[in-house]
Amino acid sequence: MSKQFNPYRAHSGRIHDYLLGGKDQYAVDREAGARIIHSAPEYQVAARAARAFLLRAVRHLAAARGVTQFVELGSGYPCPPNVHEVAQSRAPDARTLYIDNDPVVAAHGRALLADDRNGAGQTRFVHADVLDTTTIAREVEGFLDRGEPIAICLGFVLEFVEEPRAVVDELAGTLPAGSYVVISHVTGDPEPEIVKRAAEVYASYDIAFWPRSREEISRILTSCALVEPGLVAAHRWRPDDDLDQRRAERLGLMPLQSTNICCYAAVGRVL
C-alpha cells in the first residue's frame, strides 16, 4: 500500500480528501478525483457517507460506550470535524492518534494539531503505513493507555489493502479488552458498474483497489462481535437525524435515502 512520496503520483488518501471537499492535494490527485466524480458521481456520495458514518461511530463509542481513546488509520489531511473533535465533544479527556502513510499528510497534520487547544496533549499525528502493524502497536503503546479500551478506525482504507483480514486480526490482537474496530469498505454489491468505473480510474494511476462483497467484508471482522445494526450500508448505521441528508443536498448530491450507497460499514467489539 505504501509507496515512496512523489507529488506527481496520485495517492488514494489525497484523492479521498478531494472527494470529501478538502483543499490539500496535488494536481494529479485533483485530476484523478475529478475523473472519478465525472465517471462515477455516486462514488463521491459513498465516500462522504462513509465519513459521516465514521464520525457517528466515534460519537456513539464516546457517548454510549465510554471509549476515550481512538486511533484513525489512513486518516488523511485534517478536515473538520475531525475524529478528535467529535470524541472530545462527548468525552473532553479523549485522546486520538492519527496515522497516515503520506509523510506530507503527517507533517501537515502535526502542524495543525500544534495550533489546536489540545493538540500537544490529547492528539498526535504519526507517519506510518496501515500494513506496518509493529510501528502502529509501538505508537499506541507510547501514547495511549493499554489498560483502557481503544477504538481503531479504518474508514475508506481497507479497499486499498490486499489482505485486510490479516491486518485487522493483527491489530485487534494488540488491543485491550473492550476495544472496538470501526470500518467502512467500498462494495460493488448494489451498483457494480459504479465501482467498476472508479476502479478503472484508480488503475490508470497505478493504485491497487479491491472492492469487496458483503460476505467478503464480513470475513474481515471475524475477530469481532458486531455492534447493532451490524454490517450495513454506511448511511444506515445508526442515522441520528437528517443532518447528513441536509449536508448532501447542500453539496448538490442526490438524497441519501434514494441512493444505493456502494459502501458497507460496521463497528465490532474485539472478542
Side-chain angles (χ1 to χ4, degrees):
M1 182 179 178
S2 179
K3 291 182 173 72
Q4 186 176 2
F5 172 70
N6 182 344
Y8 302 104
R9 185 188 191 102
H11 184 280
S12 59
R14 294 194 299 266
I15 295 171
H16 185 57
D17 180 69
Y18 180 86
L19 296 175
L20 294 179
K23 305 299 181 183
D24 297 298
Q25 317 94 23
Y26 293 99
V28 66
D29 307 304
R30 292 190 290 273
E31 175 187 88
R35 285 181 58 192
I36 289 175
I37 292 172
H38 176 74
S39 63
E42 301 89 345
Y43 187 85
Q44 183 184 34
V45 178
R48 295 183 173 186
R51 183 63 183 176
F53 150 75
L54 175 63
L55 299 180
R56 288 198 307 277
V58 168
R59 188 183 309 125
H60 171 76
L61 291 175
R65 297 182 180 256
V67 178
T68 60
Q69 302 186 111
F70 296 86
V71 180
E72 186 179 5
L73 297 172
S75 55
Y77 286 98
C79 181
N82 293 291
V83 166
H84 74 280
E85 294 167 327
V86 173
Q88 289 174 17
S89 72
R90 297 300 190 270
D93 60 341
R95 296 168 71 84
T96 303
L97 176 63
Y98 294 104
I99 297 176
D100 197 276
N101 71 348
D102 185 329
V104 177
V105 167
H108 186 67
R110 284 192 291 266
L112 287 179
L113 292 178
D115 294 331
D116 185 83
R117 63 185 177 86
N118 290 316
Q122 291 178 234
T123 53
R124 179 178 294 179
F125 219 116
V126 172
H127 173 221
D129 193 270
V130 66
L131 300 180
D132 187 0
T133 53
T134 300
T135 296
I136 293 171
R138 183 175 67 245
E139 294 294 339
V140 168
E141 183 80 32
F143 185 62
L144 302 179
D145 180 1
R146 289 184 51 78
E148 297 294 331
I150 296 170
I152 297 281
C153 303
L154 294 139
F156 240 64
V157 171
L158 295 177
E159 46 276 282
F160 301 102
V161 175
E162 187 173 7
E163 298 291 343
R165 179 176 172 178
V167 172
V168 171
D169 284 351
E170 190 165 350
L171 289 171
T174 69
L175 297 176
S179 292
Y180 293 86
V181 174
V182 178
I183 78 162
S184 61
H185 196 300
V186 173
T187 180
D189 283 358
E191 299 284 354
E193 186 59 31
I194 292 170
V195 175
K196 178 184 176 182
R197 291 196 294 267
E200 288 170 349
V201 175
Y202 282 123
S204 71
Y205 291 91
D206 195 29
I207 296 175
F209 179 64
W210 292 276
R212 296 180 171 94
S213 67
R214 188 181 190 281
E215 181 180 354
E216 290 172 316
I217 297 168
S218 67
R219 289 199 291 268
I220 297 171
L221 291 164
T222 53
S223 58
C224 302
L226 298 189
V227 173
E228 288 294 331
L231 181 63
V232 295
H235 65 305
R236 300 195 184 282
W237 197 92
R238 294 178 180 263
D240 43 12
D241 53 32
D242 65 347
L243 179 60
D244 296 328
Q245 171 67 38
R246 294 199 303 273
R247 284 177 178 164
E249 291 173 348
R250 283 201 303 272
L251 291 166
L253 303 176
M254 60 197 70
L256 289 179
Q257 68 261 30
S258 65
T259 304
N260 290 323
I261 300 295
C262 56
C263 180
Y264 286 119
V267 174
R269 189 175 189 275
V270 176
L271 297 173

